[in-house]
Amino acid sequence: MNSRPMLSCVVLIVVLAKIVPAYAQTEAPSFYFEQKLSAILSQRGLTSSEVARRAIESSFELHGKHEQVLRAQLDVKQALLGFFPRINLIGKYTRKSEIIPSITGHIVVANKAADGPLPAGAMLVQVPIDSFPFGVPLNEFFGVTTLSVPLSDYLLKLTEAYRAAQHSARAAQLTEVSARLKVARDARILFYNWVDAKLKLVVAEQALDNIKGRALDVARLFEAGRASQADVASLNARVAGAELLIQKTRDLIVATEQELSTAMHYSGRTNWVVGEDVRQMPAVPSDLDNIDQLCEEAIRQRLELRIMSANRDSLRAQAGSIRGGALPRIDAAGSAVYANPNPRYFPPEPMFHGSWEVSVQLSWSPNDIAGAILSSRSLDARAREVEAQEAAFRDVLRNVVTRAWLGFREALVAVQTSSRELESAEESYSARRGLFQVGRSTSVELMDAETGLTRARIDLINSRIASRVALVELLYAVGRDVL
C-alpha cells in the first residue's frame, strides 16, 4: 500500500489541529454561537429607521420630486394671476418734422362782431388761413393707462384653469410623499439584507470552527486505525467548502454595504455596526388578521390612487378651460390718456389735456371652435384613461396586499418552525458527535448532522430577517408605512 497519501493526510490533520482555537478543541456549545450573535446585534449602531432617514435626506430622486412640487405651486400662482385685471402703462415722446400746410387761401370772418347772429350791414373781412392756429405741434408727449377685465373668462376659462393647476399641485405633493415612502421601504430592505449577510458570516465561521474541531477527532481515530483515508479526504473537502462559503459571505457583506452606502450617499468608511436586534420579533399590529379589511384600507390609504384621482381631475379641468376658450369672449376695457397734444382735442395745441373712455367688447373666432373641441376631447379621453388605470390599480392592489399578507403569515410560521428545527438539529448534532467519539457513528453521519445544524441556523436567520422584511412590505402595501 502506498504510504505517501496517508502521510500527507496525517500532516494535513496535524496542521488543522494546530490552528484550531482553544474553544474548538472542546467543541463550542450552542450558547457560544448565541454569544457571537449577541456581540453583533447588541450594539448601538445602524437601524432600519436610521437607514431610511438617511436615504430620504440624501435621495436625488426626492430632490427632483421636491422641485416638481415647487414648480406645480408656481403654476398655481400663475393661474391665480389670470384673475387680476390686466393693466398696461404706455409713455411716449415724439418729435415731428415741420410740414407745410396743405390748405391755403383765405377765409371770410366778421371783424369785431359779437358772438351770435350777425347784424345787418356787418363788415366782413378776408383773412389768410395760415393766420389761424391750425398747425401741428412738433413735440408730442403721450401717456395712456388701459385696464382690461376678461369678464367671460372668469366663468368659462380661468376658474377651470386654476382648478387644474391646484389638482396638478396636489398630485405633485402626493407623488413626493409616495416617493419618500418607497425610498424608505427600499432602504429598510437593504438594511435587513446587510444584517442577513453579517449573521450568515457568523454561521459560516461557526461551521468552519466545528469542522476544524472535528479534525482532532479524526486525527486520533486515524492514528488508532479507526478512521479511513476517505474520512480524512472528506474532511479536507468540507474545510474547503466552508472556507469558500465564508469568502462568498464576506463578498456579500461588501456588496450589501456598498448598496447601503449608495442609498445613503455615504462616502466614508463603512465601519457600521448593527443597532437592531433582529432576533426579537418586531412589533406587529394586532389588526392584521383580516385580509378583506386590509384590502379596503389599502384602497383608502395608498397614495398612488390619490395621485391618479388628482391627475384625472386636473385633466378634466383643463378640458373645461379649453372648451370655455372657444365660446364668445366678453371683455370690459377702460383707458385714460394724458397727452400734449391730446388727440381728442381740436384744433391740436401744445398743452396737456386728459381724457378717458370705457368700452365693452364682444369677440369670437369661429376658427377656434374645431381646435378647442378636439383638444378638450383629447383631454377627456386621457382623464378616462387615468380613471381606468385607477380601477385596474385597485385590482392589482388587492393582489399585492394578499401576497404581502400571506408572505407575512408564512414568515411568522417560519420563525417558529425554524426555532424548533434548530433545537432538534443541535440535539442531533450533539448526540451524533458523542456517538462518533466513541466509534458508534460514522463520519458521514456526523457530517450530515453538522450540515443539518448549519442549515437550521441559516434557516432561523433567514426566517427572522424575512419576518421583518415581510412586515415592511405588508405595511407598505396597506399604506400604513411611516417615515
Side-chain angles (χ1 to χ4, degrees):
M1 180 176 65
N2 190 357
S3 61
R4 183 173 299 177
M6 297 180 62
L7 180 60
S8 62
C9 292
V10 172
V11 173
L12 173 63
I13 294 174
V14 173
V15 171
L16 290 175
K18 288 182 178 181
I19 64 175
V20 173
Y23 59 80
Q25 297 187 17
T26 58
E27 186 62 30
S30 59
F31 73 85
Y32 175 76
F33 175 71
E34 291 297 329
Q35 288 179 348
K36 293 184 71 174
L37 290 182
S38 298
I40 293 179
L41 300 176
S42 300
Q43 303 185 52
R44 298 186 63 180
L46 279 182
T47 63
S48 59
S49 299
E50 175 67 14
V51 172
R53 183 188 64 81
R54 293 188 186 184
I56 290 174
E57 291 178 352
S58 62
S59 173
F60 295 121
E61 178 187 359
L62 293 182
H63 291 167
K65 298 295 184 183
H66 184 66
E67 293 300 324
Q68 291 179 4
V69 172
L70 296 180
R71 186 183 63 186
Q73 292 174 346
L74 292 176
D75 291 339
V76 174
K77 294 180 180 179
Q78 186 175 4
L80 182 61
L81 290 177
F83 288 91
F84 291 88
R86 184 176 181 83
I87 301 175
N88 287 329
L89 302 176
I90 299 176
K92 183 174 68 172
Y93 164 76
T94 304
R95 172 65 181 181
K96 298 181 179 180
S97 61
E98 296 184 7
I99 61 172
I100 299 176
S102 58
I103 301 177
T104 60
H106 296 76
I107 186 171
V108 177
V109 298
N111 189 26
K112 299 181 181 179
D115 293 341
L118 294 176
M123 181 181 294
L124 301 179
V125 180
Q126 181 175 269
V127 180
I129 294 179
D130 56 9
S131 63
F132 288 86
F134 290 152
V136 178
L138 302 182
N139 294 308
E140 182 178 285
F141 302 90
F142 185 83
V144 61
T145 301
T146 60
L147 178 67
S148 178
V149 182
L151 299 178
S152 59
D153 285 354
Y154 287 152
L155 300 177
L156 304 176
K157 187 176 180 180
L158 295 178
T159 302
E160 294 295 330
Y162 182 68
R163 288 180 54 206
Q166 285 183 316
H167 290 310
S168 296
R170 177 60 176 167
Q173 292 172 348
L174 293 175
T175 301
E176 181 187 16
V177 177
S178 177
R180 287 167 61 89
L181 296 176
K182 184 177 183 301
V183 169
R185 181 202 65 176
D186 295 342
R188 293 177 192 273
I189 293 177
L190 286 178
F191 169 79
Y192 288 128
N193 290 339
W194 170 65
V195 176
D196 182 61
K198 291 183 71 69
L199 297 185
K200 285 180 178 177
L201 178 61
V202 177
V203 175
E205 290 174 344
Q206 184 67 42
L208 180 61
D209 290 344
N210 290 344
I211 296 174
K212 289 179 179 180
R214 188 152 42 85
L216 291 177
D217 297 334
V218 175
R220 297 189 188 98
L221 293 176
F222 186 83
E223 292 174 356
R226 295 170 55 189
S228 65
Q229 183 180 351
D231 293 331
V232 177
S234 176
L235 178 64
N236 186 19
R238 294 277 295 178
V239 170
E243 291 175 344
L244 178 60
L245 177 60
I246 289 176
Q247 185 59 45
K248 288 183 177 180
T249 308
R250 287 173 177 169
D251 293 342
L252 180 60
I253 293 176
V254 173
T256 53
E257 284 181 349
Q258 180 59 45
E259 291 176 345
L260 278 179
S261 299
T262 301
M264 296 185 295
H265 297 93
Y266 180 80
S267 58
R269 296 183 58 186
T270 56
N271 54 347
W272 300 312
V273 295
V274 181
E276 185 173 328
D277 192 351
V278 297
R279 294 173 300 178
Q280 305 298 327
M281 288 299 297
V284 180
S286 59
D287 55 346
L288 294 180
D289 54 348
N290 192 318
I291 184 60
D292 293 328
Q293 292 181 359
L294 292 179
C295 290
E296 295 300 325
E297 181 180 353
I299 292 175
R300 295 191 308 268
Q301 295 291 114
R302 284 294 290 267
L303 296 180
E304 290 86 348
L305 291 173
R306 302 185 191 179
I307 294 171
M308 293 179 183
S309 178
N311 287 329
R312 178 198 61 204
D313 295 339
S314 177
L315 290 171
R316 289 178 175 171
Q318 292 177 41
S321 177
I322 292 178
R323 282 192 296 266
L327 298 176
R329 179 187 179 96
I330 300 177
D331 296 284
S335 64
V337 177
Y338 191 67
N340 175 9
N342 192 314
R344 296 276 302 278
Y345 285 79
F346 183 83
E349 54 182 346
M351 295 181 61
F352 279 97
H353 293 284
S355 60
W356 59 270
E357 63 180 22
V358 177
S359 64
V360 177
Q361 176 179 309
L362 175 65
S363 60
W364 184 42
S365 177
N367 294 339
D368 295 338
I369 298 177
I373 291 176
L374 293 177
S375 297
S376 61
R377 287 181 177 177
S378 176
L379 290 173
D380 286 333
R382 289 175 56 188
R384 291 192 296 270
E385 179 184 357
V386 173
E387 188 173 7
Q389 293 174 354
E390 186 178 356
F393 186 77
R394 290 193 184 96
D395 294 338
V396 173
L397 191 57
R398 292 181 182 275
N399 295 333
V400 170
V401 173
T402 300
R403 287 194 296 267
W405 182 68
L406 292 176
F408 179 64
R409 289 182 59 188
E410 292 175 2
L412 295 181
V413 174
V415 172
Q416 299 175 359
T417 57
S418 298
S419 298
R420 296 198 302 268
E421 179 186 0
L422 178 58
E423 293 176 1
S424 300
E426 288 175 344
E427 294 176 0
S428 175
Y429 177 75
S430 178
R432 188 64 63 182
R433 176 173 171 74
L435 293 175
F436 177 78
Q437 289 175 338
V438 298
R440 296 178 57 186
S441 178
T442 65
S443 61
V444 175
E445 293 174 333
L446 181 59
M447 283 190 295
D448 290 341
E450 185 179 83
T451 300
L453 176 60
T454 301
R455 183 175 61 249
R457 286 171 172 170
I458 292 178
D459 289 344
L460 181 58
I461 291 175
N462 288 339
S463 63
R464 287 171 173 172
I465 297 295
S467 65
R468 292 178 176 265
V469 172
L471 181 59
V472 170
E473 294 284 7
L474 179 57
L475 295 180
Y476 178 81
V478 176
R480 290 192 193 178
D481 48 344
V482 295
L483 300 178

